[in-house]
Amino acid sequence: MPARAQDTTLRGMPVIRDAEIEQLMRDYAQPILRAAGLAQQNVRVVVLSDRSFNAFVMDGRHIFINAGALFDAKTPNEIIGVFAHETGHLAGGHLQRLREQLASAQTASIVALLAGIGAAVAGARSGAAGDIGAAAIMAPQQAIMRSLLSYVRTQEDQADHAGVKFLNATGQSPRGMVELFKRLSNEVLFNSRYIDPYMQTHPMPADRVAALETLAKASPYWDHRDSPELQLRHDMMRAKLSGFMERADTVARRYPQSDHSMPARYARAISTYRNAGLQQAIVQIDGLIQTQPHNPYFYELKGQALLEGGHAAEAVAPLRQAAQLSHSTPLIEIMLAQALNSSNNPKLAEEAVSLLRNAVVREPDTPDAYSQLAMAYSRKGDLANADLASAQAAFARGDLKTARQLAARAKTRLPIGSPAWVRADDIVNVKPPNIKAGAQ
Ligand SMILES: [Zn+2]
């Protein structure tokens, strides 16, 4: 996983946390969300550690996208197009309305049907895929299925329309969205055995793609291209995902030594640190830093390689640089605090505490931040606050039982009524329905 800080999950889904990728996702999504009038709703893009192509919304607060989709998209515009479509679902309140439809269908197992919808729609175009669709559908349920299917189709058309509108409003081309959807629908035609999750949740028959294309080509921005700067950031992200997620020989094939571009050097440096020697990796990372001395993520990578290689004290300087250049990005500050904690220097524990107290305000659901905070407090000999931070770590992981036990112990050590005591008391008294909200 790119983000070493987090081996984390959201509702059981494996999440990739990485400062560089998350910043890029924000820069892709924010203009679209603003155009949709959703700027105030704090919608976050969450990157899932999954190689297949998928993007979806499940609530009003997150847009989920698989690392596989980021990796497959050749241009920023394709991903921005996906976000525009998903934002169309959010802005249209589709989730809520689909839930109402499902409730009125009064069939507990109806949700299972949804998985078959994409295959069934695709099957209308291709005999082989049709078999898959047919197999997924039980005959008695076909009537409900048909009505839900047409309902989902309507939502997809609406999301396409809204997506193009948001892209136009932000002066961006809808071309990436059209090309991506075309590519996905062709994949189903030519390879009926493999149906991407995105196809299942976003049925994409030919007439839908054709309607989208007509609408999109009328856009005055059809020929607009991503800026070279944004394209480079996109290519760097794909290189990072390759370096972290792919085997060394695959990375070497994709980014051969003869390729001297920044993305190729980035992918190779990451792959070297993961698969070969630390020394060799540091040489490559220093080369990157020399070429772009103001890129915070190169210093972050250097710090990460040193920290994981057992050189915590040496990791502090590059991580400080990364934190400063990235304007105190919480994920980087959490890693810096980890390096400070691991340096076996009690004087540094104070600095770790202040970094982490800031980080948890902006990243309140990150268990690692609380675990590091607990360690920093215990280095300082502050056992009461160490207990409270451990309780918060357990709470963020969703382990309510441990969280309550630790919070109860923290309470016995904290001044009654102090802010820390109140936080501990909140955890002791939390009721299960609140946990979900708190742990998201
Ligand atoms: Zn959709």
Side-chain angles (χ1 to χ4, degrees), residues 85-86 89 155-156 159 198 201-202 208:
H85 174 92
E86 296 305 325
H89 284 308
Q155 288 196 339
E156 290 309 316
Y198 197 73
T201 47
H202 298 75
R208 176 183 157 204

Side-chain angles (χ1 to χ4, degrees), residues 11 56-64 86 88-102 151 155:
R11 295 178 191 147
F56 55 94
V57 289
M58 278 171 45
D59 57 26
R61 293 176 48 213
H62 304 92
I63 295 174
F64 295 91
E86 296 305 325
H89 284 308
L90 289 179
H94 290 173
L95 292 157
Q96 183 54 33
R97 285 167 31 210
L98 184 60
R99 265 181 214 121
E100 287 161 9
Q101 288 278 318
L102 288 171
Y151 190 74
Q155 288 196 339

Side-chain angles (χ1 to χ4, degrees), residues 391-426:
Q392 289 170 310
F395 186 78
R397 278 196 310 271
D399 180 358
L400 185 59
K401 190 167 168 242
T402 307
R404 277 191 177 134
Q405 283 168 355
L406 288 164
R409 196 170 75 183
K411 273 176 75 180
T412 66
R413 293 170 156 165
L414 290 160
I416 294 171
S418 65
W421 183 92
V422 171
R423 274 201 297 280
D425 191 53
D426 283 346

